[in-house]
Amino acid sequence: ISILEAVSYWTRKFEAAGVPEPGASAEYITGHVLRFKSFSLISPLAQNLTAEERTKVWKLCEKRMNRMPIQYILGEWDFRDLNLVMRPPVFIPRPETEELVEHLWLYLQEDLSREEEELGILEVGCGSGAISLSLLHEFPQAHCTAVDVTKEAVELTQHNAERLGLCDRLNIIKFIVLSLNDIVFPADFETKFDVIVSNPPYIWTQDMGTLEQEIVGYENHCALHGGTDGMGLIRDIIHTGHKLLKPGGSIWLEVDPRHPDMIQTYLNNHLQYQLHLAGVYQDFNER
Ligand SMILES: C[S@@+](CC[C@H](N)C(=O)[O-])C[C@H]1O[C@@H](n2cnc3c(N)ncnc32)[C@H](O)[C@@H]1O
């Protein structure tokens, strides 16, 4: 069977089974098995797959039939300039989060004096390490503390940091951020940061039922569910974070479109935090 025939066979199978992005899924898998960064680079497509390649393509496509996200099937995914290992059930970084990092990058770039200074960053809920590792990669003066409640996320961030040679400026801690435990930090926890950044679980309980099969079946629920109003960890980060910021420091959060107004109200009700909502950005989906 040729590469092209294999791709069209699986595209049709995926389509018939209602698998999202059928063509792209078949192309990603075939490109991956043939060790091409992009399917468009494969030539000639009329070339036959070897028996071994065919077996691998079929095995991975069966996983896609079971609605496993393509990032887990490939075991890797790009985030900004970095290639990261992906492993279930650790949250797969989304393009919206690349935009969050881009906004933060622009903000930090503008502050030119930073070149000389140390830049202390805390990430709450590091998942695969995407945000922390991008910032460490792009700001040589940055030091990051990355915390996550799950062992799998802490291990994957560690693994990705080692692969990228970014371990020496990263402190990864298995730690749960809760309003209740905001006083008891681990011994190796730095306590003042220029920036706190997070893509917290922010999905409302009422919206959890609308998630795609890929997400519900494979990604950690504690990476998604933010409580009744999606604000659970957001409130905890603000409550805990305000004490951890250096003067002039800032908190950067990816949230649901309903959240900025709720955050404003929360800050109005907690003037003692001495935080104000400085800006809100829409993502490429206008959300
Ligand atoms: C939406 S994921 C974001 C992962 C990664 N930062 C990214 O953008 O790809 C949220 C992460 O927060 C972690 N998390 C959830 N509740 C937490 C808590 N209370 N304290 C620390 N981490 C938490 C989850 O385990 C998950 O890895």
Side-chain angles (χ1 to χ4, degrees):
I1 185 164
S2 75
I3 299 168
L4 200 56
E5 284 164 345
V7 167
S8 48
Y9 170 79
W10 279 107
T11 303
R12 274 182 275 117
K13 272 200 80 146
F14 291 151
E15 250 163 17
V19 172
E21 303 186 345
S25 297
E27 290 186 3
Y28 268 124
I29 290 172
T30 316
H32 175 76
V33 169
L34 298 174
R35 296 179 196 282
F36 280 88
K37 185 77 188 160
S38 155
F39 184 77
S40 60
L41 298 172
I42 302 178
S43 165
L45 290 171
Q47 189 182 308
N48 278 346
L49 292 172
T50 64
E52 193 189 342
E53 287 164 351
R54 185 188 187 283
T55 307
K56 279 189 191 162
V57 170
W58 257 244
K59 200 172 138 206
L60 298 184
C61 284
E62 287 300 345
K63 292 189 180 187
R64 189 71 192 110
M65 286 295 275
N66 290 328
R67 304 291 293 266
M68 182 183 260
I70 197 77
Q71 294 86 344
Y72 290 152
I73 296 175
L74 307 185
E76 59 174 344
W77 201 245
D78 289 342
F79 184 85
R80 288 173 69 83
D81 292 340
L82 304 180
N83 179 263
L84 300 171
V85 168
M86 296 289 122
R87 225 186 260 157
V90 181
F91 186 84
I92 298 163
R94 308 294 205 266
E96 291 87 339
T97 311
E98 293 183 280
E99 285 191 69
L100 168 72
V101 176
E102 179 71 16
H103 289 301
L104 178 50
W105 183 85
L106 286 170
Y107 169 81
L108 293 170
Q109 279 291 345
E110 272 176 26
D111 198 351
L112 286 176
S113 64
R114 289 247 171 266
E115 272 181 28
E116 319 286 316
E117 287 170 30
E118 295 238 319
L119 176 61
I121 299 169
L122 169 65
E123 184 187 359
V124 179
C126 55
S128 62
I131 299 176
S132 288
L133 295 172
S134 284
L135 293 170
L136 288 173
H137 175 70
E138 291 168 40
F139 292 98
Q141 69 278 48
H143 283 257
C144 251
T145 297
V147 305
D148 203 288
V149 64
T150 72
K151 180 170 161 279
E152 292 90 346
V154 167
E155 286 174 357
L156 188 55
T157 295
Q158 179 71 38
H159 180 66
N160 278 319
E162 281 166 15
R163 277 179 80 233
L164 297 165
L166 293 168
C167 285
D168 52 341
R169 291 182 287 129
L170 180 61
N171 184 16
I172 309 165
I173 307 175
K174 186 175 175 308
F175 184 66
I176 178 160
V177 173
L178 280 178
S179 311
L180 292 176
N181 70 358
D182 59 357
I183 311 290
V184 190
F185 291 111
D188 55 347
F189 193 87
E190 217 180 294
T191 47
K192 288 289 171 194
F193 300 93
D194 297 289
V195 166
I196 298 175
V197 60
S198 183
N199 171 20
Y202 58 77
I203 299 173
W204 300 43
T205 306
Q206 67 191 37
D207 299 336
M208 286 296 288
T210 66
L211 298 176
E212 288 161 8
Q213 243 175 285
E214 276 80 355
I215 301 176
V216 179
Y218 292 90
E219 289 186 302
N220 213 327
H221 284 217
C222 79
L224 306 163
H225 184 215
T228 324
D229 62 358
M231 282 275 290
L233 186 55
I234 295 170
R235 273 188 290 264
D236 290 342
I237 290 172
I238 295 171
H239 174 83
T240 307
H242 83 279
K243 295 181 202 148
L244 302 175
L245 285 176
K246 289 184 193 165
S250 49
I251 301 180
W252 293 72
L253 299 169
E254 181 177 322
V255 297
D256 179 278
R258 291 162 284 186
H259 284 148
D261 285 346
M262 295 164 70
I263 291 173
Q264 181 66 75
T265 306
Y266 184 68
L267 295 178
N268 290 345
N269 293 336
H270 295 85
L271 295 174
Q272 71 275 23
Y273 293 166
Q274 297 186 305
L275 288 172
H276 72 278
L277 185 60
V280 179
Y281 302 95
Q282 279 195 335
D283 67 22
F284 64 95
N285 287 319
E286 294 180 16
R287 282 172 53 82

